Amino acid sequence: MVVMMKLPQDVVINILLMLPVKSLMRLKCLSKSCYTLVQSSTFVNLHLNRPTTFRDGLILFKRSIKQDDDLHKTILSFLSGDDENHLSPINPDLDVPCMTSNYSNDFDQFIGPCQGIVALMDNLTTVLFNPSTRNYRMLPPSPFNIPPPFSYAIECVGFGFDNISNDYKVIRILDVYLEDHGYPQDFEKKIEVYDVDIDFWRELDHADQNFPTIYWLPSSQMFYQGSCHWIGISIEDALVILSFDLSTETFHTAKTPDSCYFMNGPSYGLAVLNDTFTLICYPRTERAKNTNEFTYIWLRKDYSGCDSWIKKYTIKGLPIQSPLAIWRECLLLFQCSNGFLMSCNLRSNEVSEYNLHGSPTSLRVIIYKESLTLIPRGYGSSTQIEKF
């Protein structure tokens, strides 16, 4: 270490960029000057944007497990793959006590990574987490109340990074309705946004009351190129992609392929394949066991322009309950009806089952690369950064 510090700083930086995060964190005990360099914003940004390949992609695997007292606890696993795509743990499993509940967590959303940070969200709780450093922050709940006789239901949540304000944001879309009139009739939209860096919840006053109804399933939402995306059903019953630009804070809708439809149709999920916005069309659960059913992978060719789609892959007879992510540019990770994690090689159609499972519908996956990104701390008496 002493010898390395006598080298030019650019050489030292290039050496440090090749080290795993676990080794970089140990520098605190070995070299104060090296550790100071690693903690600098300049190095953190260099590390975040360093050249990587798809083989650098690690898997953050979330599921819930039912305990004896009927509680379901949330568990995170940290996995890597070998040359044959076999999975092995790189760290011990992690319990997330703030996500323990008396239901199976099948409505949790797992979003990211956004500049190195992921968000684990349910109807009440949002946890920001760096899977490499294991630092996390539990965000304060929304302070806005819905006075009687009104009530509300959370239609969807989102998380992402605003490049203009250089800040992370959380969004909640609520349906507010009169309790006496029941739900879902006679409701209006309410949009709440949380700015992570300045630690502030606010309501948007320009919410469009005519935008689509959100389609809530695992992987039916995603952050991509500065916007949160959800699958939605328009007032004309058309299947659309609803997006929220985190910089302009405006909503947009985009068409899906002409063959995609909602009423009595298949299920849908969102993913990224080769850095391209991807729509996964797969049979509903009750049809997944039918070997004549198909799963389709659609790529949106021009994200910023016209709504042009190309059907990239067709898979027959996939025992899929819901898609989770696409790993290493060709492996579709998905959960099956018995709660096991499975994969399908999109190029060869080879299907594999991993010895990883949880309560059915509770599985979530995020593909991430190591980063040193710091989670904003907030202000005053706000929630603080902690370590699992």
Side-chain angles (χ1 to χ4, degrees), residues 14 23 41 88 92 129 139 179 185-186 191 220 222 282 295 340 385-386:
N14 286 331
S23 298
S41 59
S88 58
F129 177 52
L139 300 186
E179 289 182 319
Q185 290 81 21
D186 300 325
I191 315 298
S220 61
M222 177 175 70
Y282 60 100
T295 297
F340 273 82
I385 307 299
E386 300 182 64

Side-chain angles (χ1 to χ4, degrees), residues 69-86:
D69 52 6
D70 285 335
L71 288 177
H72 288 78
K73 67 175 181 179
T74 296
I75 298 175
L76 298 178
S77 298
F78 306 81
L79 308 167
S80 66
D82 59 19
D83 290 341
E84 296 182 350
N85 300 320
H86 298 142

Side-chain angles (χ1 to χ4, degrees), residues 107-120:
F107 286 103
D108 288 355
Q109 295 291 356
F110 213 15
I111 309 173
C114 304
Q115 299 289 312
I117 304 299
V118 301
L120 178 56

Side-chain angles (χ1 to χ4, degrees), residues 168-370:
Y168 297 94
K169 291 180 179 179
V170 172
I171 178 174
R172 301 200 319 165
I173 301 179
L174 288 68
D175 292 337
V176 180
Y177 58 95
L178 277 170
E179 289 182 319
D180 291 342
H181 288 193
Y183 179 80
Q185 290 81 21
D186 300 325
F187 64 86
E188 65 178 31
K189 304 290 184 184
K190 179 181 177 184
I191 315 298
E192 299 177 345
V193 175
Y194 177 73
D195 302 289
V196 176
D197 191 37
I198 63 175
D199 191 25
F200 185 70
W201 278 100
R202 54 192 169 85
E203 295 180 278
L204 294 187
D205 56 6
H206 59 275
D208 182 354
Q209 297 301 319
N210 294 318
F211 64 65
T213 300
I214 304 301
Y215 182 91
W216 186 297
L217 280 176
S219 300
S220 61
Q221 57 71 42
M222 177 175 70
F223 177 74
Y224 180 81
Q225 291 195 8
S227 295
C228 297
H229 297 80
W230 304 272
I231 297 174
I233 302 119
S234 71
I235 57 177
E236 296 85 11
D237 286 333
L239 195 77
V240 297
I241 306 296
L242 174 68
S243 63
F244 179 73
D245 188 308
L246 290 183
S247 295
T248 62
E249 297 191 346
T250 53
F251 287 95
H252 307 274
T253 58
K255 296 179 180 179
T256 56
D258 291 339
S259 60
C260 295
Y261 57 97
F262 172 71
M263 192 63 65
N264 298 319
S267 297
Y268 300 92
L270 299 177
V272 175
L273 173 59
N274 295 330
D275 297 324
T276 303
F277 191 97
T278 301
L279 177 69
I280 303 172
C281 170
Y282 60 100
R284 292 182 184 268
T285 303
E286 61 271 18
R287 301 176 184 171
K289 295 181 181 180
N290 186 341
T291 56
N292 292 319
E293 294 286 337
F294 290 91
T295 297
Y296 303 104
I297 309 295
W298 292 87
L299 303 184
R300 190 173 175 186
K301 292 187 293 184
D302 184 4
Y303 174 80
S304 59
C306 61
D307 301 316
S308 54
W309 295 87
I310 181 172
K311 187 188 295 183
K312 181 68 173 178
Y313 296 107
T314 300
I315 311 108
K316 185 178 181 180
L318 196 64
I320 183 171
Q321 184 179 66
S322 62
L324 300 174
I326 297 177
W327 180 49
R328 291 187 167 180
E329 300 182 354
C330 68
L331 290 175
L332 172 63
L333 301 177
F334 64 93
Q335 59 183 326
C336 59
S337 59
N338 62 4
F340 273 82
L341 178 66
M342 301 186 69
S343 71
C344 173
N345 189 311
L346 298 175
R347 296 167 184 165
S348 66
N349 287 351
E350 179 184 359
V351 176
S352 303
E353 181 179 280
Y354 298 104
N355 189 26
L356 295 162
H357 62 89
S359 300
T361 74
S362 75
L363 276 57
R364 305 288 185 272
V365 164
I366 279 182
I367 310 301
Y368 74 99
K369 67 177 184 179
E370 288 198 315

Side-chain angles (χ1 to χ4, degrees), residues 17 46-53 56 369:
L17 287 174
L46 285 172
H47 188 268
L48 179 66
N49 296 297
R50 71 194 185 281
T52 57
T53 70
D56 295 308
K369 67 177 184 179

Side-chain angles (χ1 to χ4, degrees), residues 94-111:
L94 187 66
D95 289 352
V96 187
C98 54
M99 287 290 184
T100 298
S101 67
N102 57 2
Y103 59 95
S104 66
N105 296 5
D106 53 355
F107 286 103
D108 288 355
Q109 295 291 356
F110 213 15
I111 309 173

